[in-house]
Amino acid sequence: MHQICYRRLLGKSASGENELGRLFDSQGQALRHNTKLQDAKYYDANFTRESFINLYPFLPAHFDILLHLLGALAKSTGGIGLRSAIKVIQDVLKGEGGTKAMADQPVGWLATTVTLYDELEKDIRRAFSSIHQAVAKVLIRFPESRLHQDIAKTVAVLQILGNLPVSVQNVAGLMHPSIDSASQLDAIQIAVDEMLGDILVPLGEKDGNLVFLSEKLRDIEQERGSIALRSVDVKRIFSDALRESFEPLPRVTLQNTMAVTMGIKLQAGSSLTSLVGDQNSIQMIVELVSAGDYEAAKNRMLDDSRSRANQNFIGVLARSSLELDELSNEIYRSQRISELHRNEPDQEVKDYCSGQLDRAAKLATQLQSKIKQTLQGGSFVFRGQASAVSAFDVELLESCKKMLNDVAAQVFDRYIEAPVRASTDAAEKFLRVANPTSISTALDPLSLVQTVSGRATFRTDHKAMVSIRDYIDRRGTVDGKRLLDDFSNEPFGWSPDTTRYILAAMLMAGEIKLKVSGREVTATGQQAIEALKTNNSFKQIGVALRDERPSIEMLGRAAERLSELVGDTVLALEQEISKGAAKYFPGFQRDYGPLAEKLNSLALVGGDRIISLNNDLADVLFTDASDAPQRLGAETSSIYDNLKWAREVKRVLENGLEVTLRDLQAHRGGIDALPDTGVPGELRKELIDELATIQNWLSKEDFFQHSADFSSQLTHIKGRVRQAASLMLDQQKLRLKEGIEALHYIPEWGALTQEERSNALSRLDGLALETSQDLVGLKKLLARDFDINSTLEDLKRSIQLQGQERARLALNEERAKSGDTGPTRLSRSISVPPRMISSLEVDVLINQLNEIRAQIGLYEEIDIEITVNSEGEK
């Protein structure tokens, strides 16, 4: 088709071809650029010198658009009354559509989509009446603007085609009027914006493309134009655009270590609204006023900036413009109409709502750009000085950064005292260093510790230390949270980690003291480390200046006493004494803590003294041994005296005194429990003085000085116990022998069988005890003595009962045999000499009487006759 058309209709003379060639050679590159199409899948936007000459006045893309447009029209009308492409080209060349004939056009003139629309207007009106009507509305709204009309016609052609993005760039490319014309892109963009902003023009946007709206959408568009503006929402839209105009927020770095970010606030009359970064120390307050009020507002802002309350505020004053308001209003209308119709089922309406949101986003970008332009023409105001924003840089954000850089240096003018960013664990690592001379630059970035001739000294005149010291001096004791907050804010701006690191150095230098759980900590031990370890742990810690320090004499005594206690040399320096106490006192707790219980178990005095010592040690360690120099260095040191006493007690007990005392106490208790009679009673009486002496020694705190005496007394007591046990054993053997003899004198003994007698005697023989001759043996003998007495009584009772029972049986048998049924009578006659001269005679009489006595229970009546024989007389 291309070849047919240019050979039959578009042929040129040789001179014409030469003329066109020269034009292309000079303007071809610019022409390609100005007519380049965006996302043109179906149209050839590139062309060569030859194709340009062959198809002129058409460009290849125009020729393809004509073919596709005819196809779209044919599809809509069925081809009825439609001209061919050749016929249309003939009409263009002859000017049949009302345009100027080709022959009358200057060389370089180009056919455009406007040309095609004009030639095919009748066909378009018949096939796409709604689009034709939309173009007609543009002609009515912009009767004097050929540009607006041509844009409408080009949009109409592209909308009919549907296969080429209807973008401003493509519209400008397809409307390019001649070879040597400049690009119309900017002018077309302005015209498109005017058309989009006119509620009577049915032009909208969909997915970034321009589109003519249907009747229904035109009604919605008119509804959009009549939407009442809500000042709150319009203000919000403007505030959002203002906030986004400063993204990312202006940020500068002081001394290459401290980042300072600006916050943004909007001043509208008496209302001040924070937009972003309200926690930042430096705030920029933006205020827009009318051009007539600009100077008055500037003077007011200058006066306000001199007050102390506004020392950290940067004012930005600019002249407001109607365009800012119009853009904000249009954004609100687009958002609002989309919100009202977003739930419509019609896909066309949905697409319209989506296009409105896209348009709102595009307008928001324009609003941001306009805000930046407006503010760039304004003034910065800070601490009574005004400066043009444009004097810093041509870009708003860069101007703000440069202004912020100057302001930050003034707001944080004391940051230079500690211009470092210490690590989170800097304070902890600093305090854990045993020897200050080994503190490295990494741990001490401010060089607060100086080493001269191998000796570390602290730079207490360092400005950072002086500032903190002055701060505490003015306020007294302050809590950690307030201290960190105040030094994090202006004019210092120190990071909390840096402040804690400086405080750690001041603690080590003896400049400050910490208050932890109500107790003062001055030593750099674990308590101090835990207190300064993190920002959270430090919040509840109190900080105060040290009022007084230990004297040289006190430090000397403390170092000497501690060296004696630990067996190692301790320097007469406060921190060294505290570190030594913190190191060794836990060992003293472990060594001497159990002594209290041990002394109590031995019934010794001093348990309370050990408890008091342990409490003192715990108190010292609770504050990292902060008061160790004072406790150990006082003229009279109870903790020192108690430690020496405890050490000596522990040593003597471990060397054998504990065993001796436990044995001695066992003997004391055992002897006190002995009965007061017999051999045990004699033993108690003999040892009463010795035991009293021992008790006297044990009741004194210097009991350990009597170790030898305790040993000799124990030996003496053991000897007397041994003698008593031996004597008691002999007595017990004699008692058993006498018991056996006593059994034979029982009247019923004769009634027992031989076996029964042997058993009884065996029970007594079994009670004979052979035991050790000591306190344990003595106690066993006492227990066996009771067993012997009990057994003898049991045997006697048993023998008597057995004998009586057997006598009763014998009596009953005898009465049965004799047939005697009367009462039983015991008749006996005892012959007693008038004089007894031996124990045997007495025993014989007693036995006779006991025998009678044993039989009395067998009889109902008794008849006892006692005869005194005196030379044969009764």
Side-chain angles (χ1 to χ4, degrees):
M1 178 63 70
H2 290 73
Q3 293 180 359
I4 295 173
C5 288
Y6 81 75
R7 286 176 179 174
R8 292 179 55 183
L9 302 176
L10 300 176
K12 286 87 178 177
S13 64
S15 60
E17 290 183 355
N18 291 333
E19 180 67 21
L20 290 174
R22 284 193 299 271
L23 283 173
F24 184 84
D25 292 338
S26 61
Q27 303 293 333
Q29 188 64 31
L31 180 63
R32 287 196 187 94
H33 175 74
N34 293 332
T35 59
K36 181 176 178 61
L37 298 180
Q38 183 182 26
D39 297 331
K41 298 179 181 179
Y42 306 102
Y43 304 101
D44 186 9
N46 294 319
F47 48 88
T48 63
R49 186 175 188 272
E50 180 182 359
S51 61
F52 168 76
I53 294 172
N54 289 339
L55 294 176
Y56 181 83
F58 295 95
L59 296 178
H62 295 126
F63 199 87
D64 292 335
I65 287 174
L66 173 60
L67 297 178
H68 283 85
L69 182 59
L70 291 174
L73 292 172
K75 185 182 296 184
S76 177
T77 61
I80 299 174
L82 192 64
R83 293 168 287 173
S84 66
I86 295 175
K87 177 59 175 161
V88 172
I89 292 174
Q90 286 178 339
D91 292 341
V92 170
L93 295 177
K94 292 187 296 182
E96 294 291 340
T99 60
K100 188 183 292 187
M102 173 65 184
D104 298 329
Q105 297 286 3
V107 176
W109 172 84
L110 294 174
T112 65
T113 47
V114 178
T115 308
L116 300 180
Y117 180 90
D118 290 339
E119 291 297 332
L120 297 172
E121 181 181 5
K122 295 179 181 178
D123 303 298
I124 292 173
R125 181 176 56 195
R126 185 171 63 252
F128 297 95
S129 60
S130 62
I131 295 177
H132 186 270
Q133 292 173 6
V135 175
K137 288 182 179 290
V138 175
L139 298 179
I140 295 172
R141 290 296 298 166
F142 299 96
E144 303 299 329
S145 175
R146 179 66 181 272
L147 180 63
H148 289 75
Q149 298 173 11
D150 290 349
I151 292 173
K153 295 175 181 179
T154 301
V155 171
V157 171
L158 294 180
Q159 187 169 344
I160 293 171
L161 292 176
N163 57 8
L164 183 64
V166 191
S167 63
V168 174
Q169 178 179 333
N170 286 347
V171 170
L174 294 173
M175 286 176 54
H176 196 68
S178 65
I179 298 174
D180 54 359
S181 294
S183 174
Q184 301 183 96
L185 181 60
D186 293 338
I188 290 175
Q189 180 66 65
I190 295 173
V192 168
D193 291 340
E194 291 175 352
M195 294 167 69
L196 290 173
D198 192 328
I199 61 174
L200 298 179
V201 174
L203 182 66
E205 287 183 296
K206 176 183 177 183
D207 299 329
N209 292 323
L210 299 172
V211 61
F212 282 118
L213 305 178
S214 65
E215 190 69 30
K216 183 175 184 180
L217 292 183
R218 285 199 295 271
D219 294 339
I220 295 177
E221 186 68 14
Q222 290 180 355
E223 178 187 352
R224 176 186 179 280
S226 62
I227 290 176
L229 300 174
R230 293 181 57 190
S231 59
V232 174
D233 292 328
V234 174
K235 182 179 178 181
R236 173 185 54 78
I237 291 170
F238 180 81
S239 297
D240 291 343
L242 178 61
R243 182 183 64 252
E244 292 171 3
S245 298
F246 286 95
E247 289 184 355
L249 282 176
R251 175 174 177 165
V252 297
T253 304
L254 290 181
Q255 302 294 322
N256 296 320
T257 54
M258 178 186 180
V260 180
T261 305
M262 179 189 296
I264 306 297
K265 293 184 177 182
L266 175 62
Q267 180 83 48
S270 60
S271 174
L272 184 63
T273 305
S274 177
L275 301 183
V276 63
D278 59 324
Q279 298 300 318
N280 296 337
S281 298
I282 299 177
Q283 296 287 320
M284 176 173 284
I285 300 178
V286 178
E287 184 175 1
L288 299 177
V289 297
S290 63
D293 296 334
Y294 184 82
E295 289 302 323
K298 184 177 179 180
N299 292 329
R300 170 180 52 80
M301 188 174 284
L302 283 169
D303 291 338
D304 292 343
S305 69
R306 295 186 179 96
S307 69
R308 185 173 182 82
N310 297 326
Q311 289 294 293
N312 300 344
F313 292 163
I314 303 172
V316 179
L317 184 66
R319 298 170 179 83
S320 61
S321 67
L322 291 176
E323 187 176 354
L324 294 175
D325 296 335
E326 292 172 357
L327 286 172
S328 300
N329 296 342
E330 280 301 299
I331 293 172
Y332 173 72
R333 290 191 180 98
S334 294
Q335 292 176 345
R336 182 59 180 162
I337 198 67
S338 175
E339 181 181 353
L340 292 173
H341 294 278
R342 63 187 176 186
N343 295 322
E344 291 278 350
D346 193 332
Q347 185 60 42
E348 184 182 27
V349 178
K350 289 183 178 180
D351 293 342
Y352 171 80
C353 292
S354 177
Q356 286 297 308
L357 291 178
D358 292 341
R359 183 165 186 266
K362 184 181 297 184
L363 291 175
T365 302
Q366 296 178 18
L367 178 59
Q368 293 172 31
S369 177
K370 185 62 179 178
I371 288 174
K372 291 180 180 180
Q373 180 183 348
T374 301
L375 296 181
Q376 189 67 17
S379 300
F380 286 130
V381 176
F382 178 71
R383 295 187 180 181
Q385 298 292 326
S387 307
V389 176
S390 58
F392 289 86
D393 198 276
V394 295
E395 292 291 336
L396 177 63
L397 288 181
E398 287 301 318
S399 295
C400 291
K401 285 183 180 179
K402 291 178 180 179
M403 182 64 183
L404 177 60
N405 192 60
D406 295 341
V407 170
Q410 298 180 57
V411 171
F412 296 100
D413 59 314
R414 298 184 69 176
Y415 179 73
I416 191 65
E417 296 177 8
V420 297
R421 304 291 291 186
S423 61
T424 302
D425 57 355
E428 178 185 1
K429 290 181 177 179
F430 195 93
L431 293 174
R432 288 191 184 278
V433 175
N435 188 353
T437 57
S438 60
I439 293 178
S440 63
T441 304
L443 291 181
D444 185 20
L446 292 177
S447 300
L448 301 177
V449 180
Q450 287 184 331
T451 302
V452 180
S453 299
R455 183 177 179 181
T457 58
F458 289 87
R459 295 175 56 196
T460 55
D461 60 343
H462 192 282
K463 289 185 177 180
M465 281 195 180
V466 172
S467 295
I468 293 179
R469 188 164 55 242
D470 292 344
Y471 173 88
I472 300 173
D473 187 39
R474 289 192 301 271
R475 292 166 175 79
T477 301
V478 294
D479 61 83
K481 182 180 185 303
R482 181 182 176 187
L483 191 148
L484 292 181
D485 289 345
D486 287 350
F487 280 92
S488 294
N489 296 328
E490 69 283 347
F492 299 98
W494 302 345
S495 72
D497 297 330
T498 300
T499 305
R500 286 188 296 106
Y501 143 67
I502 299 172
L503 289 169
M506 295 181 71
L507 178 67
M508 189 175 287
E511 293 290 312
I512 61 171
K513 57 186 175 183
L514 306 180
K515 291 192 175 181
V516 182
S517 301
R519 303 194 183 190
E520 294 184 353
V521 175
T522 59
T524 56
Q526 191 59 38
Q527 289 286 339
I529 291 173
E530 292 298 328
L532 287 164
K533 190 173 185 177
T534 65
N535 297 329
N536 283 333
S537 65
F538 185 64
K539 286 181 178 179
Q540 306 300 322
I541 305 301
V543 184
L545 296 179
R546 291 196 63 178
D547 300 326
E548 56 185 35
R549 303 181 187 179
S551 64
I552 299 298
E553 293 78 10
M554 180 177 286
L555 293 175
R557 283 193 298 267
E560 181 181 355
R561 289 170 176 173
L562 186 57
S563 298
E564 177 188 348
L565 291 172
V566 303
D568 193 7
T569 302
V570 178
L571 298 178
L573 300 174
E574 185 178 6
Q575 291 295 340
E576 292 300 316
I577 294 170
S578 295
K579 286 181 180 179
K583 177 180 179 181
Y584 290 104
F585 277 17
F588 292 156
Q589 285 182 310
R590 291 191 300 270
D591 292 341
Y592 305 142
L595 270 182
E597 183 179 352
K598 185 177 291 186
L599 292 175
N600 292 334
S601 67
L602 292 172
L604 296 172
V605 297
D608 293 341
R609 188 171 182 177
I610 293 298
I611 293 174
S612 176
L613 172 61
N614 284 330
N615 290 336
D616 289 343
L617 292 174
D619 288 343
V620 172
L621 292 174
F622 184 79
T623 59
D624 290 336
S626 297
D627 58 349
Q630 291 85 347
R631 287 179 178 257
L632 290 171
E635 292 186 3
T636 301
S637 173
S638 61
I639 194 170
Y640 167 69
D641 295 337
N642 288 340
L643 282 171
K644 286 185 62 179
W645 178 82
R647 181 177 63 181
E648 189 62 22
V649 168
K650 183 175 184 296
R651 182 189 65 80
V652 174
L653 290 177
E654 290 178 348
N655 287 341
L657 181 59
E658 180 180 359
V659 176
T660 299
L661 289 178
R662 289 196 183 280
D663 202 356
L664 194 57
Q665 293 287 30
H667 278 77
R668 284 183 62 210
I671 292 172
D672 287 342
L674 293 176
D676 296 332
T677 59
V679 174
E682 290 297 326
L683 179 62
R684 291 185 60 183
K685 292 177 182 179
E686 291 177 7
L687 295 177
I688 189 170
D689 293 336
E690 287 83 349
L691 293 178
T693 301
I694 292 172
Q695 178 59 36
N696 183 50
W697 292 339
L698 294 175
S699 64
K700 296 180 179 179
E701 290 186 350
D702 63 349
F703 65 88
F704 54 85
Q705 296 180 358
H706 298 279
S707 297
D709 297 329
F710 287 134
S711 297
S712 62
Q713 286 292 345
L714 179 60
T715 301
H716 172 67
I717 291 173
K718 284 184 175 180
R720 289 298 299 118
V721 169
R722 185 165 52 252
Q723 293 175 8
S726 177
L727 179 59
M728 193 168 182
L729 181 60
D730 292 340
Q731 290 181 352
Q732 202 166 90
K733 290 180 179 179
L734 180 60
R735 176 78 177 97
L736 286 173
K737 182 179 180 181
E738 292 175 347
I740 291 173
E741 292 177 356
L743 292 180
H744 288 83
Y745 290 105
I746 298 175
E748 291 84 2
W749 178 258
L752 298 179
T753 64
Q754 185 61 37
E755 182 179 358
E756 290 172 340
R757 293 175 184 174
S758 297
N759 290 338
L761 295 177
S762 295
R763 285 186 63 186
L764 287 178
D765 290 338
L767 294 176
L769 179 65
E770 292 294 338
T771 184
S772 59
Q773 295 184 357
D774 54 15
L775 186 61
V776 175
L778 185 61
K779 290 181 179 179
K780 289 182 179 180
L781 289 173
L782 283 172
R784 184 52 56 90
D785 202 42
F786 175 80
D787 292 342
I788 290 173
N789 291 331
S790 298
T791 302
L792 278 174
E793 291 299 323
D794 289 344
L795 287 174
K796 288 179 180 179
R797 191 180 303 107
S798 175
I799 290 171
Q800 289 174 350
L801 291 175
Q802 288 183 20
Q804 291 175 2
E805 182 64 25
R806 289 174 183 174
R808 183 182 293 108
L809 292 175
L811 179 62
N812 291 337
E813 287 180 5
E814 182 180 349
R815 285 171 57 88
K817 289 179 181 180
S818 62
D820 189 1
T821 59
T824 57
R825 179 187 294 272
L826 175 63
S827 300
R828 289 286 187 274
S829 177
I830 300 175
S831 178
V832 180
R835 184 180 181 187
M836 297 180 186
I837 58 175
S838 67
S839 61
L840 180 58
E841 290 177 328
V842 175
D843 289 338
V844 170
L845 177 59
I846 292 173
N847 287 336
Q848 289 177 351
L849 292 173
N850 285 332
E851 182 178 353
I852 292 172
R853 183 177 180 279
Q855 295 178 8
I856 286 176
L858 302 175
Y859 298 91
E860 297 173 354
E861 299 177 356
I862 61 173
D863 183 11
I864 307 299
E865 181 180 3
I866 299 175
T867 303
V868 179
N869 294 325
S870 176
E871 296 179 358
E873 296 181 1
K874 291 185 179 180

